[in-house]
Amino acid sequence: MSFTTRPDITGTFGVVTSTHWVASSVGMRLLERGGNAFDAAVAAGFVLQVVEPHLNGPAGEFPAIFQKPGEAPQVLCAQGTAPAGATIAHYRAQGLEAVPGSGLLSTVIPGAFDGWMLMLRDHGTKSLREVLEPAIHYARHGHPVLPRVSFTIKGLADFFKAEWPGSAKVWLPDGKAPETGALFANPTLADTWERILAEAELAKTRTSQINAARRIWREGFVAESIDRYIATTEAMDATGDRHSGVLSAQDIASWSASYEAPVSHDYKGWEVFKTGPWGQGPVLLQSLSILDHHDVAGLDPNGAQFVHLVTEAMKLAYADREAFYGDGSEVPLASLLADSHAAQRAAMIAPQASLEQRPSRLPGFEHLADASIERAARSVAMGGVGAGEPTMAHLSDRRGDTVHLDVIDRWGNMVAVTPSGGWLQSNPVIPDLGFCLNTRAQMFWLEEGLPQSLTPGKRPRTTLSPSLAHGPEGQALVFGTPGGDQQDQWQLIWFLRMVHHGMGLQAAIDAPLFHSSHFTGSFAPRAATPGALMVEPAFGEGVIGDLRSRGHTVTVAKPWTVGRLTAARRAADGFLAAAATPRMMQAYAVGR
């Protein structure tokens, strides 16, 4: 018998799983009130902005991947693009060699609100008020503060008081950080949402109200407040200097969320769907294509050979991410996923850990491979308050991260969403809105001719990476995790253990996790650490010693601190299951 920290939540009516129990409960409330998976996702998504403010916010972004019964999977892209004024020349003129990890220069167009509205309008059934009211309630009346939220605010309290007074007003009520478990409210944010509601409800129909809310955000008082704040503010950022931003009301008005087809790959009877290479999602598909040429099923899923093999495959896939992925660029994804190419890459995995960056050398793309190796060698380093995003909370006290949610309803609608950005460490709070801007522009490079070169109108190559998969006998999955560069690493490990070793959703989540930081990171300081491998101690001293003997530079994390996976599954007969990580003690799955 397999023992787990929690049972798989099962039923036929609906399941919701997310990185915070309040959001999961709110999503389930929408299902109970007759809403579908999209209504539940939108309501839960807004609540996550309130209860996990150190991990996401209203001016952040997300990709969603979803499927409706009888239809093909789709991606909803709520990732904003670089503003018109965000040119390499402008940033270089500020004396910068890289986009700061925090502050106004690191901001792209906020995408989350428009994305949630598009999902609600086109696929939901509930009114704007019904999905916003739970978030407004918690913003107005308070929610119990998570330990990490309290700790993060305490670590930044002096900085907020000295440099970001708008943040001090919101995050330091009565001049001090909230204690763990205390009720914490953000009435200014509640006011913002209530004003949007009041103005939108002047329209008569559900659809027209949602469309009005989109206009209010993009062209009304929200965009005007952001524009006015940017135009009159120089804010301290991760460089240690004060800079003004380039985002404008015109940028916000000119952008909207959109739909696109996912990319997919077949693996052992499963078809896995991800976002396109404007995000990092295809690295999971590349990793699977490489591992298809090795006997993963014959390995102990908690053994050294499994860890070594999967790590080396991921290193190869992430090397290609750094070389080729980007928005609006010619990405040779078909070649990278081709079976013959994957076989060649699989043959490169040796008994010892690789300490080199080894992107594919495809005809016509050799210059991109060489450029990525050069960037990794330079390991651009930037420091400062609020810089970047962590791999997990135990690696940083002051950086933001990400949240995730999965929902499946009784009709078979299923959705996975990974919201992020606009966390409390990223930027000063805009005083009359109660939220801060995002920092996703740090994904770009201030060098010409690269797939990730800073370019107005271009999406940053995000790390946000929800997943959807179809399996044998009509099974379907939605899953994901926070964690920046680690998202597709942890998802890959979980998926392999489920497919090859028969683990249930919760058992595969509970099993010890690992990840590599061998490749160039996506966030400031953009470092690469050759051979670096972080593992949970539950692997045991024997496995850890074996990995070190293979040449991996192993760091042992504190127990139960790596990964924040959630997942939900639907069988062909409609039987549902969901699970959530016990790590950090806040994610929960609910359902019946």
Side-chain angles (χ1 to χ4, degrees):
M1 181 177 179
S2 176
F3 291 93
T4 59
T5 59
R6 305 167 181 177
D8 281 11
I9 300 299
T10 58
T12 57
F13 180 82
V15 289
V16 183
T17 180
S18 83
T19 50
H20 197 290
W21 70 88
V22 171
S24 297
S25 298
V26 165
M28 194 67 198
R29 175 178 180 265
L30 268 290
L31 295 183
E32 297 284 5
R33 292 169 65 90
N36 64 18
F38 304 102
D39 298 312
V42 175
F46 277 105
V47 168
L48 286 170
Q49 295 172 8
V50 178
V51 299
E52 295 194 289
H54 60 315
L55 306 178
N56 77 135
E61 57 272 321
F62 69 79
I65 189 163
F66 66 92
Q67 186 168 23
K68 302 169 79 171
E71 299 184 11
Q74 292 187 69
V75 169
L76 193 163
C77 175
Q79 174 58 67
T81 58
T87 65
I88 291 175
H90 177 81
Y91 284 64
R92 290 289 190 181
Q94 309 297 309
L96 298 173
E97 296 183 357
V99 179
S102 66
L104 299 176
L105 279 175
S106 64
T107 295
V108 299
I109 298 169
F113 186 87
D114 197 64
W116 290 124
M117 291 299 99
L118 191 65
M119 179 181 291
L120 180 66
R121 187 196 70 183
D122 294 349
H123 307 291
T125 64
K126 293 298 183 180
S127 69
L128 181 64
R129 178 169 291 276
E130 287 175 295
V131 299
L132 276 180
E133 275 188 332
I136 292 172
H137 170 83
Y138 287 109
R140 175 75 64 199
H141 300 291
H143 58 92
V145 173
L146 294 169
R148 181 57 53 178
V149 175
S150 175
F151 190 73
T152 300
I153 296 173
K154 286 179 180 178
L156 288 165
D158 291 342
F159 177 80
F160 285 164
K161 291 175 182 177
E163 297 291 346
W164 293 0
S167 296
K169 182 178 179 181
V170 169
W171 307 118
L172 302 171
D174 302 320
K176 61 180 181 180
E179 295 296 332
T180 296
L183 286 180
F184 177 81
N186 185 348
T188 305
L189 176 57
D191 290 343
T192 296
W193 282 332
E194 287 187 336
R195 182 175 172 184
I196 291 174
L197 257 183
E199 294 185 15
E201 287 181 337
L202 295 175
K204 293 183 178 181
T205 67
R206 173 185 176 274
T207 298
S208 62
Q209 288 178 2
I210 296 169
N211 286 334
R214 296 179 75 192
R215 288 193 300 271
I216 293 162
W217 179 280
R218 290 161 52 187
E219 302 173 28
F221 80 92
V222 176
E224 291 170 357
S225 293
I226 293 172
D227 184 271
R228 184 166 55 249
Y229 184 77
I230 292 283
T232 59
T233 303
E234 286 190 341
M236 180 69 73
D237 58 35
T239 67
D241 293 324
R242 297 178 182 86
H243 294 101
S244 57
V246 295
L247 180 68
S248 71
Q250 181 58 43
D251 292 316
I252 298 171
S254 66
W255 179 88
S256 62
S258 60
Y259 298 107
E260 59 187 65
V263 296
S264 67
H265 184 72
D266 292 332
Y267 180 80
K268 308 298 184 185
W270 287 83
E271 185 175 13
V272 184
F273 299 87
K274 301 291 287 185
T275 69
W278 57 268
Q280 77 172 11
V283 296
L284 189 147
L285 306 182
Q286 282 195 249
S287 298
L288 290 174
S289 71
I290 293 169
L291 291 169
D292 208 3
H293 295 272
H294 287 273
D295 180 20
V296 179
L299 302 177
D300 177 354
N302 295 324
Q305 181 57 25
F306 176 87
V307 177
H308 173 76
L309 175 64
V310 173
T311 298
E312 294 303 301
M314 293 189 301
K315 287 179 183 178
L316 293 169
Y318 274 82
D320 285 343
R321 180 197 75 167
E322 285 309 300
F324 307 117
Y325 290 16
D327 184 34
S329 302
E330 183 183 355
V331 180
L333 196 56
S335 296
L336 294 172
L337 288 171
D339 187 67
S340 58
H341 180 72
Q344 295 174 7
R345 299 290 273 170
M348 296 171 65
I349 297 176
Q352 290 296 109
S354 170
L355 300 180
E356 299 176 346
Q357 303 295 333
R358 298 185 293 174
S360 298
R361 300 197 66 80
L362 301 175
F365 294 90
E366 294 90 347
H367 64 292
L368 295 181
D370 292 338
S372 70
I373 294 171
E374 180 184 349
R375 292 198 303 278
R378 283 188 275 126
S379 296
V380 178
M382 289 174 61
V385 174
E389 178 182 85
T391 55
M392 276 297 289
H394 64 279
L395 299 182
S396 174
D397 297 334
R398 298 182 178 180
R399 298 179 181 181
D401 199 343
T402 301
V403 298
H404 184 80
L405 63 93
D406 304 297
V407 189
I408 307 178
D409 64 29
R410 55 184 152 158
W411 300 287
N413 297 300
M414 52 198 311
V415 56
V417 193
T418 310
S420 188
W423 47 68
L424 66 87
Q425 310 90 306
S426 63
N427 260 302
V429 168
I430 300 170
D432 54 351
L433 295 178
F435 62 79
C436 53
L437 296 169
N438 62 76
T439 57
R440 197 59 58 173
Q442 66 182 291
M443 309 288 95
F444 291 113
W445 292 94
L446 298 183
E447 301 174 35
E448 300 285 358
L450 303 175
Q452 309 96 12
S453 296
L454 177 63
T455 306
K458 191 173 183 177
R459 288 175 291 189
R461 192 212 64 210
T462 178
T463 56
L464 307 176
S465 191
S467 300
L468 188 150
H470 295 163
E473 301 177 350
Q475 296 181 76
L477 293 169
V478 280
F479 56 99
T481 178
D485 294 315
Q486 282 60 54
Q487 289 182 29
D488 284 296
Q489 299 190 61
W490 297 329
Q491 291 181 67
L492 173 67
I493 298 160
W494 174 85
F495 184 74
L496 291 171
R497 286 169 168 163
M498 189 199 63
V499 169
H500 288 295
H501 303 101
M503 291 188 179
L505 302 185
Q506 192 67 49
I509 286 174
D510 287 354
L513 286 167
F514 57 93
H515 63 258
S516 173
S517 54
H518 169 86
F519 45 84
T520 302
S522 296
F523 295 86
R526 308 302 296 269
T529 311
L533 179 65
M534 177 168 279
V535 303
E536 288 190 302
F539 279 107
E541 293 182 3
V543 170
I544 294 169
D546 190 330
L547 292 169
R548 285 177 171 146
S549 73
R550 296 169 188 254
H552 297 281
T553 303
V554 179
T555 298
V556 180
K558 293 180 180 179
W560 295 102
T561 58
V562 174
R564 293 182 66 203
L565 288 153
T566 69
R569 179 178 61 210
R570 185 181 190 275
D573 62 1
F575 192 72
L576 306 176
T581 182
R583 296 164 176 90
M584 297 181 71
M585 301 296 286
Q586 64 200 56
Y588 271 88
V590 296
R592 67 173 178 86

